[in-house]
Structures are given as C-alpha cells and as structure tokens.
Amino acid sequence: MRLFELLLFLSNIGLFALTFLLKKGRPRIPLFVASGIATLLLVIHWTVEGYRIQLFFPYCITIIFLATSGYSYFRKKGPKKIPRFLLGSVYTAIAIMLVVTAGLMYAFPVFNLPEPDGEFKIGMQTFHLVDRNREEVFDDAKDGKRELMVQVWYPVQAGTGKYAPFIPDTPILRYMAANYGLPEFTLQHLKYVSSHAYSGAEVSSAQTSYPLILANPGFGSSRFLHTSQAENLASHGYIVAVIDHTYNTFATEFPDGRITTSTTNDLFSPNDDYRTGRESRDKLGKVLTDDVAFVLDQFELIQSGQIPSPLKGRIDLGHVGVFGHSIGGATAYDASYDPRIAVGIDLDGGLYRLRDREDLQKPFLFINSESYFEELNRVINNRVYTDAELNRMGSTREWMDQVTEDKKLELERMRETVDEGGQILYIENTEHLNFADVQFISPVFKMLGITGKIDPERANSVINAYMLDFFDVYLKNQGGVLINGPDSRFPEVKFATSLIKYN
C-alpha cells in the first residue's frame, strides 16, 4: 500500500469521525480545515503516485466534504437542518464506501516485486522478432509470418534514471484482467508497479560474457509474469530472455500498437475426446518449441551485432539454459533436445510430444507444486479414481485412464533425466500459480486457493534459490548445494527423485 493513498484513506475516516464529534455545535472551521488537508493529500497522491479506480470512493468523499464544509464555512446564515433520515442515509453510504475501499485496497495492492539478491544491477531490453521462415498458424499475422516479443534482462554495473515499469505495455492490462475473470479496468493500477531493471543500460564489464537462459510463460500467461525470476537470475550474472509466445499469451502488444490475444484455446474444445486434445496440445507444443529454437537463432545474430543491442559480444552461447512454467515448462523440456541447450527446468508443467521423443540425455530439473506431485504420486501407486472423485472432477473413467497413461510416460521421461544429473522436487503448500508473478497481484488468490497456503514471497524465494543453484552447476560449474539433497533452510522443499525413479 502506497503512503499517500493510505494517508488519503485515513483522512477520509477522520472526516467521517469529525462529523460525529462536532455534531452538537457543528463548528465549521475544524471540518473545513480537515477537508482542506484531505484535498491536499488527494492532490499529492494524484501527482506523486497516480490515481487508481480502487480509490474512487475516497476521491468522491474528499471532494464532497470540501464542497459542503466550504459552503457551510463561507455562507452567512446558520446551517440548514437536514432531515434525520437523509443524514443517516448519507452516513451509512459513506461508511459502506469506506469499507468497500478498504477491501479493494487490500485485494488489489500496488505491490512491490521481490528484491533480486544477486550482486549485479539489472538492465532490460525488448526485441520484436519475425520468423520469415514460418507461417503463423494461430491467426492472421501482419504479413502471415510468426512474430514474437522477447524481453531480456541482463547484468549491468550501474543504471541511470528510474526503474522500468513491471508492465510497460499498459494497454494489455485490460486483457489481463479479463483473463482472470475481472472487469477490464480492475488491474490498471499495475502500471504503477516498478521492476528493478534499467532500460537499455550497458552490460556489466565484470565478465567478458554471460550464460543465456531462455524462459517460457504458461498457457494464457505473459512474459511480464516471470519478471521476478528473470531479474533474480540476471542479478546473479545471467542473460535471461522471456518469450511471449504470440496467441498463447493473454495479450501481446507489438511496436506498431497491434495487440494479439490468446487464440490457442480454440485448439481445445470441451467436446473433444482425449486423443484429439492430446494431438492439439502436441500441435501447440511444436510451435512453442520452434519459437525457442528461432529465438536462440536470433541471439546468435545479436551476439554478432547483426541485431543492434548492448548485448553484442557479451552472450556465452556455449552455456545456454531454458526454463518455463506450465506448458512453458513442457516447452523447456522439449526445447532441451536442441544440442545448443545444455540444461533445463520445468516449473509445474506436464509434458507434451511424449511419443515423438527419445531419452533426453542431459540434466533437467522438475519443480512441482504439491498438488501436481500428488497427481503423479497417485499414478506411481496405481491409485484408481473413485466414482465420487470422477463426478466431482466432471470427468469420465475413460478420460482419466488416458490421462494416467500419459502420466506414466511422463514419469518415464522424468526418471531418465535423473540418470543425467537431474532432480525432481515439489514444494509443500504450493499451487500451480505460485510459479509465476500472478501470485503477487492479489492476496485474494491465496484465500480462494488459486495459489497455495505458502506466502508468495517465500514461494518465490524458494523457487529462485533452486533454479539458480541448478543453473549454476551446469552453466557456471559452481554451486550445487541445494540440488544435492534436503536443506534445513528450505524445509518446504521435498525431494521426490528416489520415489519416482524406483517406483
């Protein structure tokens, strides 16, 4: 909660209280002065912090109190007597507005992203990339070719000016709200949330080059929702590129102002049988995997200077990693078959194209939510769904039998990675959305069970710590303390490697 919006809200409570404390004599001066103070706070808040829809009622209350107290103060005659019923109705309305405002401020805070804990400051650059060799298959693109927006975070020695905003493409905020079933104006306040990155800053000279990590958001997500993970890795000496997979995001804005939204959900009809749904998922997965390969191609051009960037000559293309969340995690796994990629991490994502792949002969880390691990554990122990469970899920036994079949293949793939130095973890009290920055948007998500019982900041710090340790081992030949086994600093992290490997 920001300082001046809090002071404005408290001043409204004070004004409301004064109308009772001064009720008998109705002195006009104290109320007029208090209204003036509240109005000053309103002006400062608008100027310094910026207005937002969640404070609409305090804005109205402040202006109304200033107008009525000013009129009462300057008029020569005594105040008119207001009917008790009307006065009571006004008091009740103000009290309701203040309570609603308190709820809105709590539910939709202007939050602070977690501070990166590495030694480097962070720079940021965004690229618009067009793959001239691929036709767009999900919608009509500008010229029919596959277009991507890619945001890159990297280490810098010093930054100047203000931090870049968390979400610089503010027109997409209305689509973001709609994606979570909210009115379009609800999340406009996120334009005030700051990142910890400086736009266009020079790369740090502390190292001649830095390993590259490619990142992939989940279905209907966005590159912005992995800012905290990208910033933390960049602060530890990595170049991190998060890919907006066009038409798989809730919205992507291009430099010419065009905004694309998610159309890939059209691939998954609720009337499809499971086999058709699997084929659709694989079709989408191939496009996402090809996106990663294309972006890696473009970084070779950035490295050589053919695409202008401060990153020219500073990318260690001999040490490349990949990670992703949800279907982006599956993309990370699938993309890891590219010989240019050394290591990968899947954040709570089931795999696709399982039948088209041989063993992945390189280290890979799976970090799962507790609920997803319970689903895997059910398959390991051959627990059959009861009729009551199937009814509750709205599923059929035939459908779940095919899900189980795919999960068994997935478990085989996971076991194979362990032999190459990989690990399989899960984090207690987490849910699927604890692996993206959406967990910071509203504490209501936690109350509704959309995110887990774990504190969002704690979930973020745990995930970042294990991701960093894993990448450090295979991209920098250092670290390795955390991924070797349980650590007392992170009791919520459970190693499931042996359970999955030997069952």
Side-chain angles (χ1 to χ4, degrees):
M1 191 175 296
R2 298 176 296 175
L3 175 62
F4 289 106
E5 70 177 39
L6 176 61
L7 292 176
L8 175 64
F9 178 66
L10 293 176
S11 72
N12 272 223
I13 295 176
L15 288 172
F16 186 53
L18 274 176
T19 60
F20 290 98
L21 294 174
L22 304 176
K23 189 173 181 180
K24 289 186 177 180
R26 293 191 179 277
R28 292 169 290 173
I29 295 177
L31 192 58
F32 180 54
V33 171
S35 298
I37 294 172
T39 303
L40 178 61
L41 290 171
L42 172 61
V43 172
I44 295 172
H45 159 65
W46 276 9
T47 304
V48 175
E49 297 174 335
Y51 69 91
R52 63 186 185 114
I53 193 66
Q54 288 81 7
L55 294 175
F56 175 76
F57 288 146
Y59 300 156
C60 294
I61 292 170
T62 300
I63 294 170
I64 290 170
F65 265 101
L66 179 68
T68 55
S69 63
Y71 175 77
S72 177
Y73 177 75
F74 287 108
R75 72 192 302 271
K76 295 181 179 179
K77 297 180 180 180
K80 293 182 179 180
K81 188 173 181 180
I82 302 174
R84 181 176 296 179
F85 172 76
L86 180 59
L87 195 61
S89 299
V90 171
Y91 287 154
T92 301
I94 292 175
I96 292 173
M97 285 190 287
L98 290 174
V99 170
V100 170
T101 299
L104 291 174
M105 291 172 71
Y106 171 77
F108 300 104
V110 179
F111 61 88
N112 295 316
L113 284 170
E115 288 277 350
D117 56 19
E119 61 179 305
F120 292 101
K121 294 185 182 298
I122 305 157
M124 185 270 291
Q125 184 179 12
T126 301
F127 295 91
H128 173 218
L129 305 175
V130 181
D131 189 346
R132 300 294 177 188
N133 296 318
R134 280 195 299 160
E135 298 294 326
E136 180 57 69
V137 297
F138 295 129
D139 207 333
D140 295 329
K142 182 180 180 182
D143 59 1
K145 301 300 181 181
R146 181 73 172 163
E147 293 181 82
L148 300 171
M149 295 299 297
V150 179
Q151 193 160 338
V152 184
W153 289 260
Y154 55 90
V156 301
Q157 282 181 315
T160 57
K162 293 182 178 180
Y163 286 140
F166 167 51
I167 301 181
D169 301 343
T170 53
I172 73 169
L173 287 171
R174 64 181 184 272
Y175 299 101
M176 184 178 182
N179 188 60
Y180 295 108
L182 300 169
E184 290 187 354
F185 58 80
T186 308
L187 300 181
Q188 288 299 310
H189 65 286
L190 295 184
K191 64 186 176 184
Y192 300 125
V193 177
S194 173
S195 72
H196 300 97
Y198 299 96
S199 182
E202 291 299 317
V203 183
S204 172
S205 60
Q207 297 174 203
T208 56
S209 64
Y210 298 89
L212 172 66
I213 297 174
L214 305 174
N216 305 274
F219 185 87
S221 184
S222 168
R223 69 183 191 268
F224 304 122
L225 295 180
H226 291 277
T227 297
S228 63
Q229 294 165 353
E231 287 186 342
N232 196 65
L233 287 167
S235 77
H236 286 273
Y238 289 94
I239 295 170
V240 185
V242 187
I243 305 167
D244 251 3
H245 295 281
T246 312
Y247 300 110
N248 195 55
T249 63
F250 59 74
T252 298
E253 183 177 15
F254 291 99
D256 61 5
R258 285 176 300 123
I259 295 178
T260 62
T261 57
S262 176
T263 63
T264 54
N265 57 340
D266 294 339
L267 293 172
F268 306 99
S269 168
N271 297 319
D272 284 345
D273 61 26
Y274 185 82
R275 191 174 301 278
T276 302
R278 178 198 292 151
E279 292 170 355
S280 297
R281 180 180 172 85
D282 288 352
K283 176 184 175 182
L284 169 61
K286 185 180 186 309
V287 174
L288 304 185
T289 301
D290 289 346
D291 285 348
V292 177
F294 166 69
V295 170
L296 188 48
D297 293 340
Q298 301 309 291
F299 269 95
E300 293 173 353
L301 300 180
I302 293 169
Q303 172 75 348
S304 66
Q306 296 179 61
I307 296 177
S309 171
L311 300 171
K312 175 185 176 182
R314 310 305 300 278
I315 310 167
D316 183 358
L317 291 172
H319 294 86
V320 178
V322 63
F323 79 89
H325 171 232
S326 192
I327 198 169
T331 302
Y333 180 87
D334 205 49
S336 292
Y337 284 89
D338 190 317
R340 296 172 294 177
I341 295 175
V343 63
I345 299 175
D346 180 347
L347 302 176
D348 209 41
L351 305 182
Y352 55 69
R353 298 215 292 173
L354 290 166
R355 289 159 178 76
D356 300 339
R357 295 297 198 182
E358 300 298 327
D359 295 359
L360 178 63
Q361 297 179 350
K362 59 184 67 174
F364 200 89
L365 173 64
F366 294 89
I367 307 180
N368 292 317
S369 63
E370 183 173 11
S371 57
Y372 188 77
F373 176 74
E374 288 174 354
E375 184 180 346
L376 290 176
N377 200 31
R378 174 185 286 273
V379 177
I380 291 171
N381 292 292
N382 295 311
R383 291 206 303 270
V384 179
Y385 286 96
T386 66
D387 290 338
E389 288 175 322
L390 292 171
N391 290 334
R392 188 165 61 249
M393 293 185 294
S395 186
T396 64
R397 191 165 301 281
E398 291 74 19
W399 181 283
M400 292 311 301
D401 285 345
Q402 294 199 56
V403 170
T404 300
E405 180 186 341
D406 272 359
K407 287 301 173 192
K408 287 179 178 179
L409 281 173
E410 188 173 320
L411 286 165
E412 285 302 316
R413 295 289 183 264
M414 296 171 80
R415 290 182 181 114
E416 292 156 5
T417 65
V418 173
D419 295 331
E420 301 296 332
Q423 287 281 17
I424 303 163
L425 318 174
Y426 72 93
I427 304 172
E428 288 184 327
N429 295 317
T430 54
E431 293 291 343
H432 192 57
L433 291 183
N434 282 116
F435 293 83
D437 289 341
V438 66
Q439 65 180 329
F440 301 119
I441 290 176
S442 175
V444 175
F445 290 166
K446 181 177 178 180
M447 295 167 59
L448 296 175
I450 297 172
T451 58
K453 297 177 182 178
I454 191 171
D455 180 76
E457 286 74 16
R458 178 61 179 176
N460 183 75
S461 66
V462 172
I463 293 164
N464 281 347
Y466 280 82
M467 286 177 61
L468 176 64
D469 195 56
F470 196 73
F471 282 133
D472 276 352
V473 170
Y474 294 105
L475 298 181
K476 292 187 175 182
N477 196 29
Q478 64 186 39
V481 174
L482 294 180
I483 63 167
N484 284 333
D487 191 294
S488 60
R489 293 170 295 174
F490 300 100
E492 56 272 270
V493 175
K494 305 300 178 184
F495 282 72
T497 305
S498 60
L499 175 65
I500 288 178
K501 183 176 181 180
Y502 298 113
N503 283 276

